Amino acid sequence: MINLPMPYPQELIYSTVARYKIRAGLISPKQLLDDVFEDRGVVATVDLPCHLSKIANHYPHNRFNLNYIAYQHTLFPLYAPFIPESRRQECLRWMANHSQGAIHLAIGSNASRLPSVKYIRYCPQCFNEQFKDYGEWYWSRMWQIPGITCCSKHGSLANSSVEYRPNSRHDFIAPTPHNCNINPQGSVNEDDRFLISKISELLSLAEQSSPTFEQWTTFYHSLARSSNCIRGSKHIDHLCILEKVKNRWSLELLETNNLHRLESETGWLRGIFRKHRKSFSYLEHIIAIESLLEQDWSFEEIMVQVKSQTTTLPSKITQAKSNVKPDSELIEANRNIWMGLIKENQSIKGARKINQALYAWLYRNDKTWFMNTNKNCHQRHVPKGLTVNWQRRDSEFVRSLIKINDHTCFDLTLPRKSKKVVDESNLLSLND
Ligand SMILES: [Zn+2]
């Protein structure tokens, strides 16, 4: 057990480890890894670090448990409410031990659309306050959130010279006057202030189990209903939602966060109001909820609402739907079209690209046949690609060798070729 400093409020655990390095007077990153993790393979990760159980072991047992560190000193709570419960549990297990990048993949699907942070950022005036309170600087997690460019109290964030995901991945670096140039700050606008307040709510939510995708689906459906964005009895009016989003948010803010392709049939905005099959990022949730709810709201209330959604109704609807089977002629016709497409494109992927609607229809209405057919097609293609006609290859080689010999046997400028030379080189390679 080493004397790891206590983390400060909102401090990244990455930063606590970096401060230990300074306090212990360590220069070598390897020595730091030995001290803290007893493992030189640990990657210094700013946002979603692993090996937290090793860190927790350096504190008295009643002080911190692992989930506390994940929820108070990493960016995990920004993603946790939006991934299904089983994945949340899996991510916590990865953070306790190691994940070999799996955690970024599991969460990354929803984070990848947001702009990436290139350098660890800081707020110069917060540094002043930290120095006054604690006599040193540390990296706050509030500064490292993709999509947030300001400190809520003071103004725009500045880039340090410390890379967020550096090539030399094993060093933990604390803020110093050397890697943070203090420059004047730009001011905070209203939207930034709003986003930061919502993100602070997420970061301070108590640890809880995550809602299911079905509950999120039902929540957004009822949100659309209560905001009069429903056509007929149950169809989402995507145009009405689009108008509300455009009225509330500037194009600039949406563009800087890669969330501006709102009209797209396959874009995030339509996706979040359809059946959820993947998770959405905190920014997408904030933008959608804020556009439709024309009143103050908090994530605490939203989480209660989402988790109270009973999903029996939609499943009843799907059951009723699945009882109405399409007639066999239609199934037969669509099967034929699909087989034709596979033949034409030589792959399931290619066929799917050409007729996505057919792919979805067969998946819904003729799943067993569809999956089996696709599986067989995959299997059939692989061995074909690997088949080699050895006899043909041998005779081609022999023909080429005879040709080479015919061309070169009377060329006296070439090196000597004899049985002896060949035998000698074989002997040499045997001796190797
Ligand atoms: Zn600040």
Side-chain angles (χ1 to χ4, degrees), residues 123 126 151 154:
C123 166
C126 282
C151 152
H154 304 112

Side-chain angles (χ1 to χ4, degrees), residues 248-395:
R248 172 61 184 83
W249 301 98
S250 71
L251 187 61
E252 192 195 345
L253 182 136
L254 296 170
E255 269 175 354
T256 43
N257 291 301
N258 298 329
L259 300 175
H260 54 289
R261 277 180 283 277
L262 300 173
E263 279 93 348
S264 163
E265 187 61 31
T266 51
W268 72 269
L269 184 60
R270 280 179 182 246
I272 209 167
F273 282 94
R274 287 185 176 137
K275 185 173 175 182
H276 286 217
R277 290 192 172 84
K278 57 181 172 105
S279 48
F280 292 86
S281 71
Y282 49 91
L283 273 189
E284 289 159 338
H285 282 284
I286 295 173
I287 286 170
I289 296 170
E290 168 68 9
S291 308
L292 267 69
L293 268 187
E294 282 148 1
Q295 60 188 41
D296 281 351
W297 58 276
S298 75
F299 264 114
E300 203 174 346
E301 296 157 5
I302 295 287
M303 293 312 291
V304 172
Q305 263 190 53
V306 176
K307 292 207 277 185
S308 68
Q309 305 290 335
T310 45
T311 49
T312 45
L313 194 61
S315 65
K316 262 184 195 160
I317 292 171
T318 23
Q319 256 177 16
K321 256 191 199 162
S322 60
N323 286 339
V324 186
K325 287 225 170 93
D327 65 279
S328 54
E329 268 181 45
L330 182 59
I331 290 182
E332 201 53 46
N334 278 336
R335 282 181 182 180
N336 285 339
I337 300 173
W338 182 246
M339 292 307 286
L341 279 176
I342 295 177
K343 221 180 198 173
E344 231 170 88
N345 293 282
Q346 297 287 314
S347 78
I348 310 291
K349 213 172 157 188
R352 182 183 180 172
K353 225 179 206 170
I354 289 184
N355 199 337
Q356 282 211 341
L358 178 65
Y359 184 96
W361 190 92
L362 284 167
Y363 185 85
R364 271 201 304 271
N365 297 300
D366 194 11
K367 193 170 172 183
T368 321
W369 175 86
F370 189 55
M371 299 316 271
N372 284 337
T373 307
N374 292 353
K375 211 163 82 188
N376 291 339
C377 286
H378 278 306
Q379 279 168 348
R380 222 180 298 149
H381 282 293
V382 179
K384 256 191 188 170
L386 286 173
T387 308
V388 175
N389 187 337
W390 296 107
Q391 202 175 352
R392 198 170 121 195
R393 193 203 66 159
D394 287 349
S395 38

Side-chain angles (χ1 to χ4, degrees), residues 146-213:
I148 295 300
T149 54
C150 294
C151 152
S152 61
K153 278 201 276 179
H154 304 112
S156 53
L157 297 172
N159 280 337
S160 71
S161 61
V162 183
E163 285 176 284
Y164 200 84
R165 297 197 200 290
N167 289 330
S168 59
R169 304 186 305 157
H170 303 292
D171 203 3
F172 290 75
I173 304 169
T176 62
H178 183 68
N179 58 34
C180 299
N181 279 323
I182 304 295
N183 289 318
Q185 282 177 279
S187 57
V188 196
N189 70 36
E190 268 317 299
D191 280 348
D192 284 326
R193 210 181 291 279
F194 178 79
L195 288 180
I196 295 168
S197 73
K198 289 295 142 201
I199 278 170
S200 306
E201 283 175 21
L202 272 180
L203 289 177
S204 55
L205 276 184
E207 185 187 345
Q208 53 187 294
S209 62
S210 301
T212 61
F213 279 160

